[in-house]
Amino acid sequence: MADTGGWSTIESDEGVFTSLVENLGVQGIQFEELISLDPDTIRSLGTVYGVIFLFKYLRPQPSTSTTPSTQDGTPASPSTLPDSFFFANQTIQNACGTQAILSVLLNHDSASPENNNTPITLGAELSSFKDFTTGFPSDLRGEALSNSEAIRTAHNAFARASPFVDETSRPQNEDEEGDVYHFIAYTPVNGVLYELDGLQANPISHGPCDAATFPEKVIEVLQRRIARYPETETRFNLMAVVRDLRVRAQEMGDVEALRVEESKRAGWAWENSLRRSNFVGFIGEVLKGVTAMKEKEGEGAVEEWVKKAQGETARRLRR
């Protein structure tokens, strides 16, 4: 992979992803976290364009066997894909979340008889990017994505603020210890379910699939993938890319659902404003002020204050 080029890691969060794509000009789309592998839950969300899956990346292990390992799904040859199909190889670290999101959005910007979904309105920026990269091989598409100033700026707007860790730096030695997490996308395109993973050479086909069968089909694929991990591994995250649920509520005349969705959006806006702020310095100054005040109260006041706080914490834990 190329150098990070200023791409920061972002959190797998429905509010973050929704705001990110809106900042890029996408209209009528939101993300919903799925807390269970249940087709009915996906179906209840109405129009679903695909899912974003976050998992712990398992590095390939060396094998002495001459028989290649069997992978779920079949690599799709570029010659078999529609001309408008978007797939990009990941050429830079930290960008896999945004790349997985774009893998869904850029494959649903036009009507499809098989999916019977409302096309996604990409906006000028992403429409221009897709037009520019049409006809590129997947590696050049990845380079174009990595070098897009507009996409990188939208992505980095949701970087975790920290005074201690440079999120743009990652270990160069893959043998170093530490868990690495990776985003990929699953989406039905022209009657086929595709797994779009920028670390793979090509899209992975999982067979026939349309909008009606997508919930069951994608859950089956995800269950097989999760089964590769030990039973104790639970660190997975699944996000659905859906049509704006506020629009759906308005069309159905569901006032209560609309109120819930508007309240959810307000919460996302508040949380995202906090993500852009670094409160460590503020907290440090508050502690300095309180400590100085306690020191004026006399010898031992600080120690007494700390013990009182420790006791209160212990009581809360017991409760």
Side-chain angles (χ1 to χ4, degrees), residues 79-102:
S79 62
T80 65
L81 300 172
D83 293 338
S84 62
F85 193 91
F86 180 86
F87 174 72
N89 296 133
Q90 184 178 334
T91 63
I92 198 168
Q93 291 176 331
N94 298 343
C96 61
T98 294
Q99 184 158 335
I101 292 170
L102 296 183

Side-chain angles (χ1 to χ4, degrees), residues 10-14 16-17 33 52 54 160 183 237-239:
I10 60 173
E11 184 179 352
S12 180
D13 177 85
E14 54 192 4
V16 167
F17 285 2
E33 185 173 4
I52 309 298
L54 174 66
R160 297 191 185 108
F183 290 92
N237 184 264
L238 187 63
M239 207 80 63

Side-chain angles (χ1 to χ4, degrees), residues 44-306:
S44 70
L45 296 173
T47 299
V48 179
Y49 297 96
V51 297
I52 309 298
F53 184 52
L54 174 66
F55 58 96
K56 186 170 75 171
Y57 180 69
L58 299 178
R59 296 187 180 93
Q61 299 298 318
S63 174
T64 57
S65 173
T66 57
T67 304
S69 60
T70 302
Q71 183 178 16
D72 185 31
T74 305
S77 170
S79 62
T80 65
L81 300 172
D83 293 338
S84 62
F85 193 91
F86 180 86
F87 174 72
N89 296 133
Q90 184 178 334
T91 63
I92 198 168
Q93 291 176 331
N94 298 343
C96 61
T98 294
Q99 184 158 335
I101 292 170
L102 296 183
S103 293
V104 175
L105 300 183
L106 298 183
N107 281 306
H108 290 278
D109 60 328
S110 58
S112 169
E114 294 86 355
N115 292 338
N116 194 28
N117 285 338
T118 303
I120 295 175
T121 303
L122 295 179
E125 189 64 50
L126 290 184
S127 294
S128 176
F129 174 78
K130 183 173 182 180
D131 290 343
F132 173 71
T133 59
T134 296
F136 283 16
S138 56
D139 56 343
L140 287 185
R141 276 204 185 111
E143 290 291 345
L145 193 159
S146 301
N147 291 317
S148 169
E149 185 64 30
I151 297 175
R152 183 170 59 217
T153 299
H155 170 101
N156 285 345
F158 298 94
R160 297 191 185 108
S162 172
F164 307 117
V165 179
D166 177 6
E167 294 286 359
T168 66
S169 64
R170 297 281 293 277
Q172 298 301 312
N173 183 0
E174 291 194 354
D175 294 329
E176 292 180 10
E177 293 185 359
D179 294 335
V180 176
Y181 292 86
H182 184 51
F183 290 92
I184 61 175
Y186 291 92
T187 186
V189 180
N190 283 17
V192 177
L193 175 61
Y194 289 102
E195 173 185 326
L196 303 177
D197 178 356
L199 296 182
Q200 299 290 336
N202 299 298
I204 304 298
S205 169
H206 289 281
C209 177
D210 55 19
T213 59
F214 174 71
E216 283 82 10
K217 185 73 175 181
V218 75
I219 293 300
E220 291 174 2
V221 173
L222 287 170
Q223 286 174 334
R224 290 196 297 269
R225 187 178 194 107
I226 291 173
R228 303 174 192 171
Y229 291 79
E231 292 183 0
T232 54
E233 179 58 60
T234 60
R235 290 169 293 180
F236 303 101
N237 184 264
L238 187 63
M239 207 80 63
V241 188
V242 306
R243 188 174 177 230
D244 192 331
L245 295 179
R246 296 174 300 178
V247 175
R248 184 186 183 204
Q250 289 172 338
E251 292 175 347
M252 297 173 63
D254 192 333
V255 177
E256 178 59 22
L258 180 59
R259 185 195 65 78
V260 170
E261 290 304 318
E262 293 289 2
S263 176
K264 184 191 300 181
R265 291 289 181 129
W268 289 348
W270 170 247
E271 291 169 1
N272 287 336
S273 68
L274 295 180
R275 286 186 176 93
R276 296 188 183 97
S277 303
N278 184 352
F279 294 101
V280 173
F282 170 74
I283 294 171
E285 292 302 316
V286 169
L287 288 174
K288 288 179 184 178
V290 173
T291 302
M293 180 183 67
K294 290 297 181 181
E295 287 177 343
K296 291 179 181 179
E297 295 179 4
E299 187 177 352
V302 174
E303 288 78 3
E304 182 182 350
W305 171 53
V306 172

